[in-house]
Amino acid sequence: MRGAVHSHLEENIRPYIDLIDTLRSAGIHKDLALPTIIVIGDQSSGKSSVLEALSGVPLLRGSGIVTRCPLELRLKKVENGVSWKAVLSYRDKKNEIGDSSSLENDLHTAQNVLAGKGVAICDDLITLEVMSPGVCDLTLIDLPGIARVPVNGQPQDIASQIKCMIMKYIEKQETIIMVVCPCNTDIATTEALKMAQEVDPEGKRTVAILTKPDLIDKGTEKRILRIVNNEVIPLHKGYIMVKCRGQQQIDDDISLKDSAQMEREFFGNHEHFSCLLQEEKATIKSLAVKLSQHLVDHIKKSLPQLNEQIKKDLWDLRNELKECEAGPPQDLKGAKMFLIQDKINNIQSSQHAKAEERISEQFEMENMIYTQDPIYLKLLNKISVEKFSEDELPVFNVKSNYSELLEAYYEIVVQRMSDQLPMMISFFLLKETAQLLSVDMLSLLDGNVIELLSENSDVGRRRKDLHARLDRLTAAQGQLSDFI
């Protein structure tokens, strides 16, 4: 693939892969499942050799468990004069590597830091970004090879540990499962393919890579071809056969570039497998192109759902944060201000409620139409032709004009309310409030403010986690806006 067509494909592929890489670097994978390719295989399946051939750099090799931490391999094709450059990142460390010969040792060091020296495995991610004109645009995550029995000091449950790690990745619907299977074994018995079938029974998300075609027994070629042609265990994304460097070629210092040429010659000259070359079902180069396209198609398909999930999570997060509120201030001065303010607000609210209650009671009592005030009698005698004595209070004389009685009573009520209401407001909201504040402020001077303000540590951690998630998802929403 050369020229304008190749450039056009790269322009369409790179932005989508960069988007997912950026989201993963920002930690969005902690909140949401991101579209990605996960590489799994039984031990000694040739998985490391395939990744070496794809990346163009020597990776971890050996017997037993070689990959002990998930390895995210980001391949970036560059044409700006960079011959080769790599960046290795894990936890808070980030190392630039200018010489590929030191890469294997650097990866060993990273695994020892994360998983400890020995044979233990760890969930922490190691990211290796490789920039070179000779690689394809692709990102995938390699997981530890599936062990059947513990050896060399491995824990007794090492097989279940590895399977649990693998299952956590491949059960997500956003994942493309890349299963590496050697041709010289019965594909139906490979543990990796069995696990893929558990989570992807229809084979919609699975692509299988067949390795070691030079080691198959004579006479089994047609059986292998039936597998590659999707006639045995059908997979929607199909099968691709590759031939990578073997240990003898590594010992003979055969370069990856020379190995790629030897691979092409192997398939081109093979009496049974040469047809796979024309059908683009063989060689690392065909694998790289198909994986890139599979990944980008999967990303495009997943983006609308991912965007909707981010919107929903942001809504839920903001509601959760309202429950946590702002939390107490961290410095002593701010803490005191926060607590004197908190006390004032509480006291004012309480006194306000008390004043409202008393005023409401006053209005209810006025509905009783009752008075013993001599002023009422004086007013009544002034406006009425009839004369009333104090013995007739507080009962209205039914023989009198009712409007005159109301007018006189209204004057009493107005006078009574104009005195009572301001008195209640002054008493509850001013005098009593001031007294309560004085007592509480004196108690603050003797108490430990920080201790009074301390909150449950779980609440503080929850608030911190929610803010971190809010920042991640808000940034992700901004990144996605250019693609939706």
Side-chain angles (χ1 to χ4, degrees):
M1 299 178 66
R2 290 285 185 267
V5 176
H6 193 199
S7 298
H8 176 69
L9 286 175
E10 286 180 345
E11 289 172 5
N12 283 282
I13 287 173
R14 189 71 257 166
Y16 287 96
I17 296 178
D18 281 344
L19 169 66
I20 301 302
D21 288 349
T22 301
L23 294 179
R24 186 173 287 106
S25 294
I28 298 301
H29 61 285
K30 299 174 185 176
D31 312 298
L32 301 168
L34 295 176
T36 189
I37 298 176
I38 299 298
V39 186
I40 64 172
D42 294 13
Q43 282 186 9
S44 304
S45 62
K47 187 161 58 72
S48 297
S49 298
V50 172
L51 297 179
E52 275 190 354
L54 283 171
S55 64
V57 294
L59 300 176
L60 295 170
R61 279 182 170 271
S63 58
I65 298 179
V66 178
T67 302
R68 299 194 291 128
C69 301
L71 174 64
E72 181 189 28
L73 194 58
R74 297 181 182 177
L75 307 179
K76 293 188 176 182
K77 185 178 181 66
V78 292
E79 302 285 358
N80 57 358
V82 176
S83 59
W84 188 90
K85 180 183 177 183
V87 178
L88 185 65
S89 308
Y90 54 98
R91 285 190 183 166
D92 297 327
K93 297 186 178 182
K94 192 172 185 178
N95 302 327
E96 287 195 8
I97 302 169
D99 184 2
S100 62
S101 62
S102 66
L103 187 55
E104 189 171 2
N105 287 332
D106 292 331
L107 286 171
H108 272 299
T109 300
Q111 289 198 146
N112 288 339
V113 169
L114 299 179
K117 293 183 179 180
V119 290
I121 63 171
C122 174
D123 280 334
D124 290 355
L125 187 71
I126 298 174
T127 297
L128 176 62
E129 186 175 1
V130 177
M131 292 154 280
S132 168
V135 298
C136 56
D137 286 309
L138 181 65
T139 296
L140 40 78
I141 296 177
D142 179 34
L143 298 182
I146 301 171
R148 294 184 182 271
V149 292
V151 295
N152 298 329
Q154 294 171 353
Q156 290 300 310
D157 64 341
I158 188 66
S160 61
Q161 285 185 36
I162 294 173
K163 287 182 180 179
C164 285
M165 180 190 292
I166 290 174
M167 195 59 72
K168 185 177 70 174
Y169 280 89
I170 66 173
E171 66 185 357
K172 299 171 183 175
Q173 294 302 306
E174 293 78 6
T175 296
I176 294 175
I177 310 169
M178 175 176 154
V179 182
V180 180
C181 306
C183 289
N184 59 338
T185 60
D186 184 359
I187 187 174
T189 64
T190 57
E191 198 67 33
L193 189 57
K194 286 181 181 178
M195 292 186 69
Q197 288 176 309
E198 284 182 37
V199 296
D200 182 32
E202 296 181 9
K204 292 182 177 180
R205 300 187 288 117
T206 305
V207 57
I209 317 304
L210 300 177
T211 62
K212 307 181 181 181
D214 54 322
L215 299 183
I216 63 174
D217 295 330
K218 289 289 184 181
T220 61
E221 293 88 353
K222 289 184 179 180
R223 178 180 64 82
I224 302 298
L225 279 176
R226 290 186 64 241
I227 293 173
V228 179
N229 291 324
N230 238 352
E231 298 173 9
V232 179
I233 301 176
L235 300 175
H236 285 235
K237 299 186 184 301
Y239 294 78
I240 297 179
M241 188 183 294
V242 298
K243 181 186 176 301
C244 304
R245 289 192 308 177
Q247 189 58 51
Q248 186 60 53
Q249 290 176 314
I250 295 172
D251 295 340
D252 293 341
D253 291 328
I254 302 295
S255 68
L256 288 166
K257 183 178 179 181
D258 291 339
S259 176
Q261 180 59 34
M262 293 170 68
E263 178 192 41
R264 188 168 186 85
E265 291 173 358
F266 170 82
F267 286 109
N269 298 327
H270 199 286
E271 69 173 304
H272 295 284
F273 297 154
S274 58
C275 58
L276 300 179
L277 206 56
Q278 285 75 37
E279 296 169 2
E280 295 186 348
K281 293 181 180 178
T283 74
I284 285 291
K285 183 177 179 181
S286 294
L287 172 62
V289 172
K290 289 191 177 182
L291 286 179
S292 294
Q293 197 59 59
H294 284 325
L295 180 57
V296 171
D297 290 344
H298 202 58
I299 292 171
K300 289 179 180 178
K301 182 181 176 181
S302 303
L303 286 186
Q305 182 180 352
L306 183 62
N307 190 50
E308 288 303 312
Q309 187 63 48
I310 287 176
K311 287 180 182 178
K312 179 183 180 300
D313 286 2
L314 281 172
W315 175 268
D316 293 341
L317 272 174
R318 292 183 178 115
N319 287 333
E320 283 189 67
L321 277 169
K322 287 179 184 177
E323 296 177 8
C324 293
E325 299 180 341
Q330 301 302 311
D331 60 286
L332 183 60
K333 182 178 178 181
K336 289 180 178 178
M337 290 298 294
F338 173 85
L339 190 57
I340 292 170
Q341 187 64 38
D342 190 49
K343 287 288 186 182
I344 290 172
N345 290 339
N346 288 339
I347 290 173
Q348 284 181 331
S349 177
S350 174
Q351 292 300 108
H352 188 276
K354 192 184 291 185
E356 278 190 348
E357 184 181 0
R358 295 295 180 271
I359 291 171
S360 296
E361 289 173 352
Q362 184 70 32
F363 275 100
E364 288 180 13
M365 286 188 291
E366 291 299 343
N367 289 330
M368 294 172 62
I369 312 180
Y370 177 88
T371 183
Q372 296 191 70
D373 197 324
I375 298 175
Y376 168 72
L377 185 62
K378 182 179 178 181
L379 287 169
L380 189 59
N381 286 329
K382 185 177 179 181
I383 62 175
S384 176
V385 293
E386 299 182 48
K387 300 299 178 185
F388 299 92
S389 66
E390 292 185 7
D391 295 336
E392 295 176 282
L393 287 175
V395 181
F396 286 122
N397 192 315
V398 293
K399 295 184 294 181
S400 64
N401 188 320
Y402 190 71
S403 62
E404 292 174 349
L405 294 175
L406 268 179
E407 184 179 348
Y409 186 70
Y410 177 75
E411 292 293 334
I412 294 300
V413 170
V414 169
Q415 178 182 321
R416 192 156 58 199
M417 295 290 278
S418 62
D419 287 338
Q420 289 287 345
L421 298 188
M423 283 180 67
M424 282 189 280
I425 292 172
S426 297
F427 179 76
F428 290 115
L429 296 185
L430 296 178
K431 184 178 179 181
E432 228 182 46
T433 297
Q435 289 175 342
L436 292 170
L437 279 174
S438 298
V439 172
D440 280 337
M441 283 190 288
L442 286 172
S443 67
L444 279 180
L445 295 176
D446 297 330
N448 185 333
V449 177
I450 296 299
E451 184 178 340
L452 290 172
L453 280 170
S454 62
E455 66 177 348
N456 187 296
S457 58
D458 291 339
V459 175
R461 281 195 296 270
R462 178 172 172 241
R463 184 188 300 110
K464 184 178 179 181
D465 290 342
L466 289 174
H467 276 295
R469 287 187 63 201
L470 184 66
D471 291 342
R472 289 196 300 266
L473 290 172
T474 302
Q477 190 176 46
Q479 294 283 341
L480 284 172
S481 61
D482 294 333
F483 291 82
I484 301 298

